[in-house]
Amino acid sequence: MSAALVVAVTASLIVLSAFFVAVEFSLMAVRRHRLEQAASGSRAARSALRSGSELTIVLAGAQLGITVCTLGLGAITKPAVHHALTPVMQRTGLPESTSNVVAFILALFVVTFLHLVIGEMAPKSWAIAHPELVATVFAIPMRAYLYVTRPMLTALNSSANRIVRALGVEPVDELSTTRDPAALAALVEHSARVGALEGPYAASLSHALMLRETTLGDLPSLDAPITSVPLGSSVADVQAATMRSGHLRVLVLDGDRVSGVVHVRDTLALTDIADVPATAVVRPALELDVTTPLPNAITAMRESGAQIVVVRRGYHLAGVVTIDDILPQLLPAP
């Protein structure tokens, strides 16, 4: 093989290796929401999104491409460099056997250096620094490559997945783009420590993240007396209970069972209130256990339209919580 052809093949293999490395690292570092923003007006961005949705196949294709390029450099470039360096070493006065060994080591070093630095490290750094740009630029060529090699990649990926499952791990095809609350709390703490986030903002964010660990049973208002009337009471009894307690919502109790909630506003337009039963204006009560996390309770209140939660500890009535009791937990005093 002529020297010019060896150089051309070597350059092509290194460029191909750089291409696969760039695709691999860009898809690992890319922010999906940025691609989604660009997808409406860019075919390349849509292709990059598709690649991100089948990450294991894409990574298998990239690894296959890098492996083939490495083997090609070892089969073509290294012997050619070895062959070219051997007579040079001999002209330095080294014995033939020694020249052959030294030329082999130098050829291995040159090929490894070219492949490692130009074909892997440089594109890796570029892809990590500009993941969206790299993923978009190389998306369409990578999709074309996957179209040709997909049957082989699917078979290889299936074999790898069987091995992973045998180890007790379920493979995924898409990289997670979310952070759990613990990771976000650590990020907030680090940002405040290095001065990237002001103290009050950091405290508010940390408090909000800690809400996932707060339950209805942790609210101090749960110990407040319950304003209630027994089943069979009249609207007049409800208004009297409101006057005594100042609470606008009154529970209607049948023993330890809650029959519903009466909002005193619903009683104001009624006449002969002493003869109207409270059950005529009762509303369904939202009942939750004391172990319910505060975010789940807020979601349940929003979905049901309830402003008050009847909190139970097992089968026993533990107290009531209103939206006014929850708001201070969401918006703590500065």
Side-chain angles (χ1 to χ4, degrees), residues 46 53 157 183:
R46 292 193 295 271
S53 299
N157 192 56

Side-chain angles (χ1 to χ4, degrees), residues 173-328:
D173 290 328
E174 189 171 358
L175 193 66
S176 174
T177 58
T178 60
R179 296 179 183 270
D180 58 33
L184 290 174
L187 180 61
V188 169
E189 180 182 355
H190 173 74
S191 299
R193 188 168 56 250
V194 301
L197 193 63
E198 295 182 7
Y201 292 109
S204 297
L205 289 172
S206 297
H207 179 83
L209 291 170
M210 289 299 294
L211 284 178
R212 76 189 192 279
E213 300 177 357
T214 305
T215 66
L216 290 175
D218 296 326
L219 297 179
S221 59
L222 197 63
D223 297 327
I226 299 174
T227 302
S228 64
V229 295
L231 184 66
S233 299
S234 66
V235 169
D237 297 327
V238 171
Q239 291 186 356
T242 297
M243 293 294 292
R244 289 193 303 269
S245 65
H247 295 157
L248 299 179
R249 297 173 181 85
V250 179
L251 298 186
V252 178
L253 298 181
D254 181 9
D256 203 32
R257 188 179 70 85
V258 178
S259 297
V261 181
V262 176
H263 196 301
V264 73
R265 179 183 58 199
D266 298 335
T267 70
L268 298 179
L270 300 176
T271 58
D272 299 326
I273 58 176
D275 299 325
V276 179
T279 53
V281 288
V282 76
R283 300 182 182 185
L286 173 64
E287 299 189 39
L288 298 173
D289 193 77
V290 290
T291 59
T292 304
L294 205 55
N296 295 5
I298 296 171
T299 300
M301 294 177 74
R302 184 177 67 247
E303 292 177 347
S304 64
Q307 298 293 311
I308 186 172
V309 176
V310 176
V311 183
R312 289 193 168 277
R313 184 175 284 106
Y315 295 103
H316 302 288
L317 183 63
V320 296
V321 172
T322 68
I323 194 66
D324 293 332
D325 301 322
I326 295 176
L327 284 178

Side-chain angles (χ1 to χ4, degrees), residues 146-159:
L146 291 176
Y147 179 81
V148 175
T149 59
R150 184 176 293 275
M152 178 172 54
L153 295 177
T154 301
L156 292 173
N157 192 56
S158 298
S159 300

Side-chain angles (χ1 to χ4, degrees), residues 76-100:
I76 298 173
T77 306
K78 189 184 73 62
V81 175
H82 180 200
H83 179 74
L85 289 177
T86 299
V88 175
M89 294 298 102
Q90 289 176 345
R91 284 196 292 270
T92 63
L94 292 175
E96 180 178 352
S97 58
T98 304
S99 298
N100 187 56

